[in-house]
mmCIF file of all heavy atoms in Angstrom:
data_model
loop_
_atom_site.group_PDB
_atom_site.id
_atom_site.type_symbol
_atom_site.label_atom_id
_atom_site.label_comp_id
_atom_site.label_asym_id
_atom_site.label_seq_id
_atom_site.Cartn_x
_atom_site.Cartn_y
_atom_site.Cartn_z
ATOM 1 N N ILE A 173 -17.180 119.169 7.899
ATOM 2 C CA ILE A 173 -17.886 118.234 7.022
ATOM 3 C C ILE A 173 -18.739 117.280 7.861
ATOM 4 O O ILE A 173 -19.900 116.987 7.529
ATOM 5 C CB ILE A 173 -16.880 117.439 6.159
ATOM 6 C CG1 ILE A 173 -16.189 118.373 5.152
ATOM 7 C CG2 ILE A 173 -17.573 116.296 5.426
ATOM 8 C CD1 ILE A 173 -15.084 117.707 4.366
ATOM 9 N N ILE A 174 -18.161 116.802 8.965
ATOM 10 C CA ILE A 174 -18.896 115.885 9.837
ATOM 11 C C ILE A 174 -20.116 116.578 10.451
ATOM 12 O O ILE A 174 -21.222 116.027 10.456
ATOM 13 C CB ILE A 174 -17.961 115.355 10.945
ATOM 14 C CG1 ILE A 174 -16.876 114.459 10.331
ATOM 15 C CG2 ILE A 174 -18.751 114.599 12.006
ATOM 16 C CD1 ILE A 174 -15.819 113.992 11.321
ATOM 17 N N LYS A 175 -19.918 117.791 10.944
ATOM 18 C CA LYS A 175 -21.031 118.514 11.582
ATOM 19 C C LYS A 175 -22.147 118.830 10.590
ATOM 20 O O LYS A 175 -23.332 118.734 10.913
ATOM 21 C CB LYS A 175 -20.506 119.807 12.202
ATOM 22 C CG LYS A 175 -19.715 119.603 13.486
ATOM 23 C CD LYS A 175 -19.297 120.941 14.071
ATOM 24 C CE LYS A 175 -18.635 120.782 15.434
ATOM 25 N NZ LYS A 175 -18.230 122.089 16.010
ATOM 26 N N ASN A 176 -21.776 119.206 9.367
ATOM 27 C CA ASN A 176 -22.768 119.590 8.366
ATOM 28 C C ASN A 176 -23.514 118.393 7.782
ATOM 29 O O ASN A 176 -24.489 118.557 7.054
ATOM 30 C CB ASN A 176 -22.102 120.381 7.236
ATOM 31 C CG ASN A 176 -21.577 121.732 7.712
ATOM 32 O OD1 ASN A 176 -22.098 122.294 8.676
ATOM 33 N ND2 ASN A 176 -20.545 122.238 7.047
ATOM 34 N N SER A 177 -23.039 117.193 8.074
ATOM 35 C CA SER A 177 -23.670 115.995 7.502
ATOM 36 C C SER A 177 -24.965 115.631 8.218
ATOM 37 O O SER A 177 -25.773 114.853 7.700
ATOM 38 C CB SER A 177 -22.710 114.810 7.592
ATOM 39 O OG SER A 177 -22.555 114.404 8.944
ATOM 40 N N GLU A 178 -25.133 116.147 9.454
ATOM 41 C CA GLU A 178 -26.300 115.834 10.279
ATOM 42 C C GLU A 178 -26.379 114.350 10.627
ATOM 43 O O GLU A 178 -27.445 113.810 10.893
ATOM 44 C CB GLU A 178 -27.596 116.296 9.594
ATOM 45 C CG GLU A 178 -27.656 117.803 9.357
ATOM 46 C CD GLU A 178 -28.958 118.245 8.725
ATOM 47 O OE1 GLU A 178 -29.742 117.357 8.313
ATOM 48 O OE2 GLU A 178 -29.203 119.461 8.649
ATOM 49 N N ARG A 179 -25.220 113.689 10.631
ATOM 50 C CA ARG A 179 -25.162 112.290 11.050
ATOM 51 C C ARG A 179 -24.472 112.217 12.411
ATOM 52 O O ARG A 179 -23.839 113.170 12.874
ATOM 53 C CB ARG A 179 -24.393 111.447 10.024
ATOM 54 C CG ARG A 179 -25.069 111.387 8.653
ATOM 55 C CD ARG A 179 -24.247 110.525 7.704
ATOM 56 N NE ARG A 179 -24.227 109.131 8.133
ATOM 57 C CZ ARG A 179 -25.054 108.197 7.700
ATOM 58 N NH1 ARG A 179 -26.007 108.518 6.817
ATOM 59 N NH2 ARG A 179 -24.959 106.952 8.125
ATOM 60 N N LYS A 180 -24.539 111.051 13.057
ATOM 61 C CA LYS A 180 -23.915 110.853 14.363
ATOM 62 C C LYS A 180 -22.395 110.786 14.207
ATOM 63 O O LYS A 180 -21.880 110.325 13.185
ATOM 64 C CB LYS A 180 -24.441 109.574 15.005
ATOM 65 C CG LYS A 180 -25.932 109.587 15.320
ATOM 66 C CD LYS A 180 -26.342 108.289 16.001
ATOM 67 C CE LYS A 180 -26.087 107.085 15.098
ATOM 68 N NZ LYS A 180 -26.540 105.824 15.744
ATOM 69 N N PHE A 181 -21.680 111.227 15.249
ATOM 70 C CA PHE A 181 -20.222 111.143 15.219
ATOM 71 C C PHE A 181 -19.748 109.703 15.020
ATOM 72 O O PHE A 181 -18.760 109.447 14.345
ATOM 73 C CB PHE A 181 -19.619 111.693 16.521
ATOM 74 C CG PHE A 181 -19.754 113.180 16.663
ATOM 75 C CD1 PHE A 181 -20.168 113.736 17.871
ATOM 76 C CD2 PHE A 181 -19.449 114.030 15.616
ATOM 77 C CE1 PHE A 181 -20.291 115.105 18.019
ATOM 78 C CE2 PHE A 181 -19.574 115.401 15.744
ATOM 79 C CZ PHE A 181 -19.993 115.938 16.953
ATOM 80 N N GLY A 182 -20.490 108.769 15.593
ATOM 81 C CA GLY A 182 -20.101 107.363 15.489
ATOM 82 C C GLY A 182 -20.216 106.782 14.103
ATOM 83 O O GLY A 182 -19.782 105.644 13.866
ATOM 84 N N ASP A 183 -20.811 107.536 13.166
ATOM 85 C CA ASP A 183 -20.939 107.063 11.792
ATOM 86 C C ASP A 183 -19.677 107.330 10.968
ATOM 87 O O ASP A 183 -19.600 106.907 9.814
ATOM 88 C CB ASP A 183 -22.131 107.739 11.101
ATOM 89 C CG ASP A 183 -23.462 107.274 11.674
ATOM 90 O OD1 ASP A 183 -23.487 106.175 12.281
ATOM 91 O OD2 ASP A 183 -24.456 107.999 11.528
ATOM 92 N N PHE A 184 -18.707 108.041 11.557
ATOM 93 C CA PHE A 184 -17.557 108.486 10.768
ATOM 94 C C PHE A 184 -16.264 107.784 11.180
ATOM 95 O O PHE A 184 -16.030 107.494 12.353
ATOM 96 C CB PHE A 184 -17.369 110.006 10.910
ATOM 97 C CG PHE A 184 -18.445 110.796 10.235
ATOM 98 C CD1 PHE A 184 -19.602 111.144 10.931
ATOM 99 C CD2 PHE A 184 -18.325 111.160 8.907
ATOM 100 C CE1 PHE A 184 -20.601 111.867 10.311
ATOM 101 C CE2 PHE A 184 -19.327 111.871 8.279
ATOM 102 C CZ PHE A 184 -20.472 112.225 8.979
ATOM 103 N N LEU A 185 -15.437 107.546 10.174
ATOM 104 C CA LEU A 185 -14.097 106.984 10.367
ATOM 105 C C LEU A 185 -13.118 107.868 9.619
ATOM 106 O O LEU A 185 -13.318 108.166 8.443
ATOM 107 C CB LEU A 185 -14.034 105.549 9.823
ATOM 108 C CG LEU A 185 -12.663 104.881 9.796
ATOM 109 C CD1 LEU A 185 -12.186 104.605 11.220
ATOM 110 C CD2 LEU A 185 -12.710 103.572 9.003
ATOM 111 N N ILE A 186 -12.078 108.320 10.289
ATOM 112 C CA ILE A 186 -11.059 109.167 9.660
ATOM 113 C C ILE A 186 -9.783 108.338 9.475
ATOM 114 O O ILE A 186 -9.243 107.792 10.441
ATOM 115 C CB ILE A 186 -10.759 110.407 10.525
ATOM 116 C CG1 ILE A 186 -12.038 111.251 10.687
ATOM 117 C CG2 ILE A 186 -9.650 111.248 9.895
ATOM 118 C CD1 ILE A 186 -11.864 112.419 11.638
ATOM 119 N N LEU A 187 -9.322 108.249 8.256
ATOM 120 C CA LEU A 187 -8.090 107.528 7.944
ATOM 121 C C LEU A 187 -6.966 108.529 7.693
ATOM 122 O O LEU A 187 -7.160 109.519 6.993
ATOM 123 C CB LEU A 187 -8.272 106.646 6.707
ATOM 124 C CG LEU A 187 -9.417 105.622 6.762
ATOM 125 C CD1 LEU A 187 -9.504 104.871 5.433
ATOM 126 C CD2 LEU A 187 -9.223 104.650 7.902
ATOM 127 N N TYR A 188 -5.800 108.278 8.266
ATOM 128 C CA TYR A 188 -4.633 109.122 7.986
ATOM 129 C C TYR A 188 -3.428 108.215 7.750
ATOM 130 O O TYR A 188 -3.405 107.067 8.181
ATOM 131 C CB TYR A 188 -4.365 110.118 9.124
ATOM 132 C CG TYR A 188 -4.507 109.563 10.519
ATOM 133 C CD1 TYR A 188 -3.463 108.883 11.125
ATOM 134 C CD2 TYR A 188 -5.696 109.715 11.234
ATOM 135 C CE1 TYR A 188 -3.587 108.368 12.397
ATOM 136 C CE2 TYR A 188 -5.827 109.213 12.513
ATOM 137 C CZ TYR A 188 -4.765 108.535 13.100
ATOM 138 O OH TYR A 188 -4.894 108.027 14.362
ATOM 139 N N ARG A 189 -2.433 108.784 7.052
ATOM 140 C CA ARG A 189 -1.330 107.953 6.571
ATOM 141 C C ARG A 189 -0.312 107.614 7.656
ATOM 142 O O ARG A 189 0.208 106.511 7.703
ATOM 143 C CB ARG A 189 -0.630 108.643 5.392
ATOM 144 C CG ARG A 189 0.387 107.737 4.705
ATOM 145 C CD ARG A 189 0.845 108.294 3.377
ATOM 146 N NE ARG A 189 1.729 107.356 2.705
ATOM 147 C CZ ARG A 189 1.323 106.367 1.938
ATOM 148 N NH1 ARG A 189 0.042 106.177 1.730
ATOM 149 N NH2 ARG A 189 2.188 105.551 1.356
ATOM 150 N N ILE A 190 -0.005 108.586 8.525
ATOM 151 C CA ILE A 190 0.974 108.341 9.575
ATOM 152 C C ILE A 190 0.375 108.737 10.920
ATOM 153 O O ILE A 190 -0.485 109.620 11.003
ATOM 154 C CB ILE A 190 2.295 109.104 9.333
ATOM 155 C CG1 ILE A 190 2.035 110.606 9.224
ATOM 156 C CG2 ILE A 190 2.995 108.590 8.087
ATOM 157 C CD1 ILE A 190 3.295 111.426 9.085
ATOM 158 N N ASN A 191 0.842 108.091 12.000
ATOM 159 C CA ASN A 191 0.274 108.333 13.325
ATOM 160 C C ASN A 191 0.401 109.786 13.765
ATOM 161 O O ASN A 191 -0.438 110.282 14.524
ATOM 162 C CB ASN A 191 0.951 107.425 14.351
ATOM 163 C CG ASN A 191 0.541 105.969 14.191
ATOM 164 O OD1 ASN A 191 -0.547 105.688 13.699
ATOM 165 N ND2 ASN A 191 1.408 105.053 14.591
ATOM 166 N N ALA A 192 1.453 110.475 13.295
ATOM 167 C CA ALA A 192 1.666 111.858 13.714
ATOM 168 C C ALA A 192 0.505 112.765 13.311
ATOM 169 O O ALA A 192 0.273 113.808 13.933
ATOM 170 C CB ALA A 192 2.974 112.388 13.116
ATOM 171 N N GLN A 193 -0.249 112.372 12.301
ATOM 172 C CA GLN A 193 -1.357 113.203 11.832
ATOM 173 C C GLN A 193 -2.540 113.196 12.789
ATOM 174 O O GLN A 193 -3.431 114.036 12.686
ATOM 175 C CB GLN A 193 -1.816 112.741 10.447
ATOM 176 C CG GLN A 193 -0.807 113.031 9.341
ATOM 177 C CD GLN A 193 -1.297 112.538 7.991
ATOM 178 O OE1 GLN A 193 -1.191 111.358 7.677
ATOM 179 N NE2 GLN A 193 -1.841 113.441 7.196
ATOM 180 N N SER A 194 -2.548 112.272 13.723
ATOM 181 C CA SER A 194 -3.682 112.206 14.653
ATOM 182 C C SER A 194 -3.688 113.390 15.613
ATOM 183 O O SER A 194 -4.746 113.777 16.123
ATOM 184 C CB SER A 194 -3.647 110.901 15.447
ATOM 185 O OG SER A 194 -2.577 110.908 16.385
ATOM 186 N N ARG A 195 -2.514 113.973 15.886
ATOM 187 C CA ARG A 195 -2.428 115.038 16.883
ATOM 188 C C ARG A 195 -3.327 116.227 16.535
ATOM 189 O O ARG A 195 -4.029 116.766 17.395
ATOM 190 C CB ARG A 195 -0.972 115.490 17.024
ATOM 191 C CG ARG A 195 -0.750 116.657 17.989
ATOM 192 C CD ARG A 195 -1.282 116.327 19.378
ATOM 193 N NE ARG A 195 -0.600 115.202 19.964
ATOM 194 C CZ ARG A 195 0.519 115.304 20.685
ATOM 195 N NH1 ARG A 195 1.053 116.486 20.883
ATOM 196 N NH2 ARG A 195 1.066 114.236 21.195
ATOM 197 N N ALA A 196 -3.304 116.642 15.268
ATOM 198 C CA ALA A 196 -4.128 117.788 14.861
ATOM 199 C C ALA A 196 -5.612 117.494 15.054
ATOM 200 O O ALA A 196 -6.379 118.348 15.530
ATOM 201 C CB ALA A 196 -3.843 118.155 13.408
#
Side-chain angles (χ1 to χ4, degrees):
I173 292 174
I174 293 174
K175 285 183 174 180
N176 293 333
S177 70
E178 299 182 351
R179 296 180 66 94
K180 296 182 299 182
F181 290 135
D183 291 339
F184 290 90
L185 173 69
I186 299 174
L187 304 177
Y188 42 84
R189 189 167 185 86
I190 58 176
N191 289 333
Q193 290 179 279
S194 71
R195 177 57 62 88

